[in-house]
Amino acid sequence: MGLLLLQPPLSPHLRHPLLFSPSYPPIPNSSTSIPTSPTLSLKPFLPSFSQSHLLIFSHTTPRAVPVHSRCDNSTPSHSIFDSIRRHPLFLLHCATFAFFLAASRACACAPPHIPTAPLPSISEAVATEEIEDEELKTAFVKWKSKSYALTVPLTIVALQGSIPPAWIKEFIQVQGKRLKLNIGYRANLDSIFFELTSASDKGRVQPKSAMAADIVSIGDSWLSHAVAKGLIEPIKNAQEQDWFRNLSQKWKVYLCRNSKGELDPNGEIYAAPYRWGTMVIAYKKSKFKKHNLKPIEDWNDLWRPDLCGKIAMVDSPREIIGATLKYLGGSYNTTDIKSQVTGGREAVLKSLTLFQRQVRLFDNVHYLKSFATGDVWVAVGWSGDVIPAAKRMSDVTVIVPKSGTSLWADIWAIPYTTKCTTDKIGGRVRGPSPLIHQWMDFCVQAARDIPFRELVVPGSSPLCLEQSIHTEAAHNEKDRGKPKLDTNLVDGMPPREILERCEFLEPLSDDAMEDYRWLLSNVQKPHFGSFRTTTFDQLLNKFKANFSS
C-alpha cells in the first residue's frame, strides 16, 4: 500500500488515528492525480499542510511525485528535505508506518505451513495416555503431600484390620484437599487402652500416643471403665447428629452412660459404634467326622466328655463366666447369681470348674494357632478373629450358639486429652477435630455395610443390628463361585431368631462384681500336658484391673 507524507504543522493532528481512505480522488487544484495504486491520504486530517511537496511510499520503494502548486502563490515553496529537517518526529512516524506495512505484506504473501509429520499409531497413542496417567498420578501424590494453611487435621488410632481400606479413600475424596488425615493402627485393643491409661496416669501425652488422637477404637466392654477413669470424654451434641439418629433404640440405650460408666437413659453419649459381631464356636469337621462326634450346636455341647482337653478359648472373664451362665440357662448380664440362677453360686462354680477342665488353653493370641495346627479341635472366640482364620482352612464350621451369645462392638471414642499437658509440638491439646462428627456419620452410612457383606472385613454395620437382612438364597447367589464358609451366619450376622437372644455385655453391678470375684477365687486350676491354661488367679487379676473401680 502507498503512503502520502505531507508537510507540517503536525502536532495538532497526531492525536488522531491515520485512516485508510476508501477512495482515491484526485488532489484538488492539481492536474496530476494520485496513481491508482493503493495509497493513504493524509489530506483530510492535515489541512494546513502545503501541497507543494508530497512523498509517496509505494509497495516497493518510496518515490517523489511532483504536484502542481496551489492557484495562489502566496505560500512559499519548501523542499521536502527542509520539512523533514524541521520536523524529525514526522519522519519517525513515517518510517514506523512503512515498516509495519512491509511486515504485513510479507506475512500475507508467505505460503501456509502444512504439517508433514505422520499421525501417531494407536499403540503410540495408548503409550502416550499411559504416560499422561502416570504423570497425573505422580502429580496427585505430590498434591496430597502438601500442607495448606486452611487444612483441617483428623488423627485416628484404630484397631488393625477393623477399618475397610476403601473407607479411607472414600472419606478423603469426600472431604477434598482441606483434610489432613493421619491414621495409626494398633495390633489389639489392649494396646490402645494401655496408652490411654498410661497418659492419664502420668498427666502428660506424647504426640504419637493414642491419647493425642482425635478418635480411637475401643471395645464396648472397655467403655464403662474408660468413662469411670476419665480416659474418654463425652461426644458433644451427639443426640443432634445424623449418625446417632440413624441408630436403633438398642444402640441408643447401650451408649448412654453416666459419669461412672453405668447405663443411664439420661446420661451422655461417650462412643459411636462402627462395627459389631458375636462370640462364635468353630470346630474342625474332619476331626469330628473321624471320631464320629456330633456337630456343635449350642453352649452345652462344650461340656461333653468327648471334647475334654480339645477346646481353646479367649481368656476374658466375662466370656468364660458368661458361657457358663448360658449353659445353666441364665444371661450374660445376670445381676445377682444367688437369686437368678438355680443353685446359686455353688451351681455356677461347679459348672465353671468342669468347663475349665474341658478347655486346654485360655489365651487371646495363641488359641487360634492351636486350633489351626490341630492341637485343639474347637475354638471359642470373637467372630472378628475366628472367621478370617476359618476362611483360610478347608474343613472348619463356624456357628453361633442357638440359645444366643454375647455381642461385641468396636466403637469410636474421644480421648480426654485436654486434661493432660505437653511440651512438644503435636498432640491434640486444644480440643478434638471439627471433622469428628463427619467421620462418625461416614462410618454409619448404609453404603459402609458393603465391605462387611462382602466379608472384606469381619463384622456388620451398626445399622443392621435390628433391620432385616438378606435371605439365605440371596446370600448364596451373591457368593456363587467363591469358597463358601460352612456357617449359620448370614452376611456375617446370626439368623434373626438367634440374634434376638444375643446380648451386649452390660456393666456389672456391685453384687455381680462380688460374685465374679468369688467364682474366680475358688475355682480349681488344672493343666493339660504341654499346654497350661491361664490360671484363674491371672484371670482374677485381669478382671480386677479391667473392671474394678
Side-chain angles (χ1 to χ4, degrees), residues 438-461:
Q438 296 188 37
W439 172 254
M440 293 177 178
D441 279 334
F442 176 84
C443 294
V444 182
Q445 292 176 4
R448 306 287 86 77
D449 184 40
I450 296 177
F452 298 128
R453 293 191 183 278
E454 295 179 350
L455 300 180
V456 176
V457 173
S460 299
S461 167

Side-chain angles (χ1 to χ4, degrees), residues 155-157 192 195-197 199-200 205 209-218 226 230-235 270 411-420 428-433 436 440:
T155 303
I156 300 173
V157 172
I192 299 176
E195 292 182 27
L196 296 177
T197 303
S200 178
V205 57
S209 170
M211 182 63 86
D214 296 297
I215 308 176
V216 297
S217 291
I218 63 173
L231 304 181
I232 59 176
E233 62 182 64
I235 303 176
Y270 282 86
I411 55 181
W412 297 122
I414 302 175
Y416 195 5
T417 305
T418 50
K419 69 177 182 179
C420 302
R428 184 181 62 77
V429 294
R430 294 187 178 90
S433 168
I436 281 179
M440 293 177 178

Side-chain angles (χ1 to χ4, degrees), residues 223-234 255-270 416 507 549:
L223 181 58
S224 295
H225 185 64
V227 173
K229 291 296 184 181
L231 304 181
I232 59 176
E233 62 182 64
L255 295 174
C256 288
R257 306 295 176 102
N258 58 25
S259 59
K260 297 180 180 179
E262 300 168 341
L263 295 178
D264 185 349
N266 298 320
E268 297 185 275
I269 308 301
Y270 282 86
Y416 195 5
S549 58

Side-chain angles (χ1 to χ4, degrees), residues 114-362:
I114 301 176
T116 58
L119 294 175
S121 63
I122 294 178
S123 60
E124 291 175 345
V126 172
T128 303
E129 289 183 1
E130 292 178 352
I131 293 175
E132 292 177 352
D133 289 342
E134 290 298 326
E135 292 176 350
L136 289 174
K137 291 179 181 179
T138 303
F140 180 66
V141 172
K142 183 178 180 181
W143 170 80
K144 289 197 300 182
S145 64
K146 291 183 178 180
S147 297
Y148 295 87
L150 299 178
T151 55
V152 181
L154 179 64
T155 303
I156 300 173
V157 172
L159 175 65
Q160 189 171 4
S162 67
I163 303 178
W167 285 15
I168 308 302
K169 180 179 179 181
E170 292 171 3
F171 187 70
I172 292 175
Q173 290 176 343
V174 169
Q175 295 298 323
K177 63 182 180 181
R178 70 169 184 162
L179 169 68
K180 184 179 179 182
L181 183 64
N182 298 308
I183 298 184
Y185 296 98
R186 302 296 187 268
N188 50 64
L189 293 174
D190 290 355
S191 299
I192 299 176
F193 201 83
F194 173 78
E195 292 182 27
L196 296 177
T197 303
S198 177
S200 178
D201 292 343
K202 295 178 181 179
R204 304 181 68 84
V205 57
Q206 298 298 323
K208 294 184 179 180
S209 170
M211 182 63 86
D214 296 297
I215 308 176
V216 297
S217 291
I218 63 173
D220 66 302
S221 61
W222 299 89
L223 181 58
S224 295
H225 185 64
V227 173
K229 291 296 184 181
L231 304 181
I232 59 176
E233 62 182 64
I235 303 176
K236 295 181 180 179
N237 303 319
Q239 292 86 345
E240 303 173 4
Q241 303 301 319
D242 290 338
W243 66 264
F244 185 78
R245 293 173 180 173
N246 293 334
L247 294 175
S248 65
Q249 189 62 26
K250 190 171 184 177
W251 280 115
K252 293 177 181 179
V253 171
Y254 186 64
L255 295 174
C256 288
R257 306 295 176 102
N258 58 25
S259 59
K260 297 180 180 179
E262 300 168 341
L263 295 178
D264 185 349
N266 298 320
E268 297 185 275
I269 308 301
Y270 282 86
Y274 65 95
R275 72 165 182 163
W276 64 275
T278 65
M279 180 65 67
V280 295
I281 302 173
Y283 63 91
K284 288 184 174 292
K285 293 186 294 183
S286 59
K287 295 291 186 180
F288 275 57
K289 184 177 180 180
K290 180 179 179 180
H291 294 85
N292 196 26
L293 301 179
K294 293 181 180 179
I296 294 177
E297 296 181 353
D298 208 349
W299 290 111
N300 56 358
D301 290 320
L302 299 182
W303 272 259
R304 289 180 354 206
D306 52 16
L307 294 180
C308 182
K310 303 298 183 183
I311 302 172
M313 186 177 181
V314 294
D315 67 349
S316 167
R318 287 297 305 269
E319 296 295 349
I320 296 170
I321 297 178
T324 305
L325 293 172
K326 293 296 290 184
Y327 167 66
L328 295 174
S331 166
Y332 275 91
N333 297 310
T334 299
T335 57
D336 187 354
I337 293 179
K338 295 177 183 178
S339 60
Q340 294 178 340
V341 177
T342 303
R345 284 182 174 182
E346 287 72 18
V348 177
L349 178 60
K350 181 179 178 180
S351 297
L352 182 59
T353 302
L354 291 174
F355 181 58
Q356 58 93 32
R357 290 175 180 173
Q358 296 285 105
V359 178
R360 189 172 189 178
L361 177 68
F362 289 101

Side-chain angles (χ1 to χ4, degrees), residues 360 526-533:
R360 189 172 189 178
H527 64 88
F528 299 94
S530 60
F531 287 90
R532 182 174 179 85
T533 61

